[in-house]
Amino acid sequence: MQRTAEQIEHDLLWPIFHTSRKYWIAVGLATSLVLAGVAAFGYQLYAGIGVWGINSPVFWAFDITNFVFWIGISHAGTLISAILRLCNATWRRPVTRCAEAITVFAILIGGMVPLCHIGRPWLAFWMIPYPNQRGIWPNFRSPLAWDFFAISTYLTGSCIFLYLPTIPDFASVRDAATGFRKKVYRALALGWQGTPRQWQRLEIAMHIMAIAIVPVAVSVHTIVSWDFSMTLVPMWHSSIFGPYFVVGAIFSGIAALILAMALLRKLLRLEEYLKPIHFNNLGKLLLTMSLLWFYFTFAERMTAWYGNTPSEMAVFWVSIRQHFAPLFWIMVFCNFIIPMPILASKRLRTVTGTAIASCFIVVGMWIERFLIIVPALDHKFLSYSWGTYRPTWVEDTLMAASFGAMALLYLLFTKFVPMVSVWEMKVGLQPHPGFPLPVPAEEQHHSLILEGPLPTDVAE
């Protein structure tokens, strides 16, 4: 049954004004992980970076693995939302905000990882290419300087891209709220009244940002790949790394988006908005990216095997059938062998099926980032310099804290912003989509949102 504009506004604003016990339990668990990470980082500052398992020659390990992983996850929202918006795909309306929020939070978490890695975070400003008298910085030939520009630009653009479509929804919350909350949302709504002129300017701004953010998103993970391919480490000095990293980023990003949507659909009772058709369409995209990922993974190993360079073959065999072989084959099973049959079958490409496939893919993509970094550093050109790496509890805790921070930021976001765009869902009610349908003042039910009983389809 199609919902009316009043029902849409009621359903989607309800989680902002009412909080369940399950929500506070989830916030408590996520906060505990974050606090554990803060404690581990404090211990690292006190004892030094030596509490990590990194050593010569493995100076990059869990930290850079998490950095590349989270920057990859950030491609979920911007690329999917921007491309679907430019293509005017109407089925994207309930999906876009979930995706755009993932982008911003993943960039924030990924950007904090280098601060933990540098050992002396109070000197982090040295990474900023500001004019100085030292004569040694900024070094614009360094990929680290490129990372700074790329990630800061991507974060700024993603925040704007997330904020613009939320302005009309902030106005809806403003009209329903009272007291201090009303003042906060009045400021966030920027005086929004829903006039045709405001709608026209908002549509133009969103269209411009959608066009601008796509090349920025692609360039960001390409530049991250250059951190590796600009070196002479075996298996890194490869021209395929640019598209390989971008494909992997989109692959992991779509999987993270599907997981977030499945959880929100269950916790916030959004079954009428996040429908099986959305998971089916995203599952098709995920299937395409799984095939592309397999192609690039095969091409990378194939060229190394065909070249038969001793240094690269040492890394090749240690990954395929020696020390790192279990992780490699787990990665292949998680990213291709398990999800491909699920996503290729229309009968299995359901909400549950796509969520299960996405769980495997997220795990597999983290392992892939680890296998790109550690085996190559373990086995450099000369065998006498080979080493081993074992993570410590500090690295494990910081990694768990990054996932906890993602969950915490997402949970807090659901209490301030409707996770499904109210005004875009109203647009979908019109036979000729344009501006959202207005809600007459006498039919508004804001008092019901604030004071009414919990409907049976939303109750725990």
Side-chain angles (χ1 to χ4, degrees):
M1 182 181 68
Q2 188 175 20
R3 273 164 158 65
T4 64
E6 295 82 6
Q7 290 174 325
I8 290 174
E9 187 168 330
H10 176 271
D11 294 344
L12 298 182
L13 295 188
W14 187 278
I16 297 178
F17 295 100
H18 295 82
T19 306
S20 66
R21 184 182 303 172
K22 293 180 181 179
Y23 174 85
W24 291 118
I25 293 175
V27 169
L29 293 174
T31 304
S32 63
L33 287 176
V34 174
L35 292 177
V38 171
F41 182 61
Y43 175 70
Q44 173 196 321
L45 292 179
Y46 173 77
I49 199 73
V51 297
W52 287 9
I54 56 176
N55 53 65
S56 179
V58 185
F59 295 108
W60 287 0
F62 265 31
D63 48 343
I64 304 302
T65 299
N66 291 327
F67 169 72
V68 179
F69 175 78
W70 286 113
I71 296 299
I73 291 292
S74 69
H75 284 58
T78 304
L79 279 177
I80 295 173
S81 176
I83 292 174
L84 294 179
R85 191 180 294 276
L86 291 174
C87 296
N88 198 26
T90 56
W91 64 268
R92 61 158 174 86
R93 293 189 180 111
V95 175
T96 52
R97 187 159 300 159
C98 300
E100 292 159 4
I102 288 178
T103 296
V104 175
F105 301 148
I107 298 174
L108 289 173
I109 295 170
M112 287 190 292
V113 171
L115 297 179
C116 300
H117 174 69
I118 58 178
R120 293 184 288 178
W122 52 89
L123 299 178
F125 65 93
W126 284 8
M127 300 175 64
I128 303 174
Y130 62 92
N132 61 85
Q133 302 299 321
R134 291 176 290 161
I136 60 174
W137 193 260
N139 177 14
F140 292 107
R141 296 181 62 187
S142 170
L144 297 179
W146 309 342
D147 279 340
F148 174 82
F149 283 117
I151 293 174
S152 59
T153 303
Y154 189 32
L155 177 60
T156 303
S158 298
C159 290
I160 296 173
F161 193 60
L162 172 63
Y163 179 68
L164 285 175
T166 59
I167 293 175
D169 288 347
F170 283 145
S172 297
V173 182
R174 172 200 64 195
D175 297 338
T178 58
F180 177 75
R181 179 179 289 181
K182 188 178 187 70
K183 296 179 181 179
V184 172
Y185 282 100
R186 181 184 294 120
L188 293 173
L190 302 178
W192 180 267
Q193 297 299 326
T195 63
R197 187 177 184 182
Q198 289 179 332
W199 280 114
Q200 183 181 24
R201 290 183 174 181
L202 181 64
E203 290 288 346
I204 293 174
M206 289 191 299
H207 194 73
I208 292 173
M209 286 303 304
I211 295 174
I213 206 67
V214 172
V216 173
V218 173
S219 66
V220 166
H221 221 59
T222 304
I223 291 174
V224 170
S225 74
W226 290 348
D227 291 343
F228 303 91
S229 59
M230 292 290 181
T231 70
L232 296 178
V233 175
M235 299 290 288
W236 283 7
H237 192 60
S238 171
S239 59
I240 203 175
F241 261 34
Y244 182 33
F245 271 55
V246 172
V247 166
I250 301 174
F251 186 36
S252 60
I254 296 175
L257 173 59
I258 291 176
L259 283 179
M261 288 172 53
L263 292 174
L264 290 175
R265 185 176 188 268
K266 187 68 175 177
L267 295 176
L268 301 184
R269 304 296 194 267
L270 297 176
E271 289 86 352
E272 293 295 328
Y273 302 94
L274 298 175
K275 299 180 179 180
I277 184 64
H278 302 115
F279 292 87
N280 179 67
N281 291 339
L282 289 175
K284 294 177 182 178
L285 291 175
L286 200 60
L287 173 62
T288 303
M289 300 314 300
S290 179
L291 296 172
L292 284 173
W293 174 88
F294 181 79
Y295 166 77
F296 278 105
T297 302
F298 176 79
E300 183 192 18
R301 267 69 181 182
M302 180 67 178
T303 52
W305 174 81
Y306 187 80
N308 203 31
T309 304
S311 58
E312 291 197 344
M313 290 307 294
V315 180
F316 178 87
W317 291 122
V318 80
S319 299
I320 299 296
R321 66 181 187 185
Q322 295 177 15
H323 183 60
F324 294 100
L327 287 178
F328 177 83
W329 293 111
I330 290 174
M331 174 191 72
V332 173
F333 271 86
C334 289
N335 288 344
F336 184 73
I337 294 178
I338 295 176
M340 198 273 290
I342 297 175
L343 300 172
S345 171
K346 184 177 181 180
R347 183 172 59 86
L348 298 177
R349 203 166 51 241
T350 60
V351 176
T352 303
T354 55
I356 292 173
S358 298
C359 285
F360 282 104
I361 289 169
V362 169
V363 174
M365 287 306 298
W366 190 94
I367 295 174
E368 188 225 35
R369 307 313 195 191
F370 180 83
L371 291 177
I372 288 175
I373 297 168
V374 175
L377 293 176
D378 256 355
H379 294 71
K380 290 187 178 180
F381 292 97
L382 300 176
S383 58
Y384 75 84
S385 65
W386 291 357
T388 57
Y389 167 74
R390 293 291 185 276
T392 65
W393 68 269
V394 178
E395 293 163 290
D396 293 334
T397 305
L398 289 174
M399 182 187 70
S402 67
F403 286 90
M406 184 67 182
L408 180 61
L409 290 172
Y410 218 78
L411 287 169
L412 295 177
F413 187 75
T414 62
K415 291 304 297 179
F416 292 95
V417 183
M419 290 308 299
V420 175
S421 178
V422 177
W423 68 270
E424 289 199 72
M425 296 305 299
K426 291 181 180 179
V427 168
L429 298 178
Q430 304 182 61
H432 303 287
F435 300 143
L437 290 170
V439 180
E442 62 273 10
E443 297 181 10
Q444 290 181 354
H445 53 279
H446 297 145
S447 60
L448 175 62
I449 295 177
L450 294 174
E451 301 174 1
L454 188 68
T456 56
D457 61 338
V458 184
E460 294 183 6

